[in-house]
Amino acid sequence: MMRTLPPKPEPPSNDDCCLSGCEFCVWDLYDDDMREYQKQAGVIRDAFEALGKPVPTCIRPESLRDAVDPTMRAFLDLEREMAMRIQQEADEHSDGSKDGS
């Protein structure tokens, strides 16, 4: 049974972002939606390939790139990495305090 791919997420307009570093920036939400879309497209693409059927153009990797400007993509990646580091440090700190350290 083939899945149906939802519509490709639309990137936010420049007016949608206030550039103030919101915890849940519209660009972060778009990035999350785009990653999920790409993941679902990959599942469908794999199903086509497993059946030996031609893969539709709309789900080929080159068609799944997001519409984010490369500069914004670098910024989003940096923000995501920093958030992961902060969370990792918080987790390490909380683990250390449980040991009586």
Side-chain angles (χ1 to χ4, degrees):
M1 182 167 129
M2 286 285 182
R3 294 182 180 197
T4 302
L5 189 63
K8 188 173 183 177
E10 290 291 325
S13 72
N14 289 338
D15 294 336
D16 291 336
C17 179
C18 64
L19 297 173
S20 63
C22 300
E23 183 176 355
F24 298 106
C25 177
V26 294
W27 285 103
D28 292 327
L29 299 174
Y30 168 74
D31 191 49
D32 291 344
D33 290 346
M34 195 63 201
R35 288 173 193 261
E36 182 59 30
Y37 176 83
Q38 291 167 336
K39 180 178 157 188
Q40 290 180 26
V43 169
I44 294 170
R45 184 177 55 251
D46 291 347
F48 271 94
E49 291 173 349
L51 295 171
K53 294 186 177 187
V55 176
T57 304
C58 66
I59 60 172
R60 291 184 184 156
E62 62 273 12
S63 299
L64 296 177
R65 291 190 181 95
D66 59 28
V68 177
D69 170 79
T71 304
M72 182 59 78
R73 167 61 47 222
F75 172 75
L76 291 171
D77 290 345
L78 178 64
E79 286 281 307
R80 187 177 298 272
E81 184 179 328
M82 288 173 49
M84 288 172 45
R85 283 185 186 174
I86 290 169
Q87 183 62 48
Q88 183 179 16
E89 288 175 6
D91 291 347
E92 289 171 358
H93 180 70
S94 67
D95 289 345
S97 64
K98 290 179 184 176
D99 294 336
S101 304

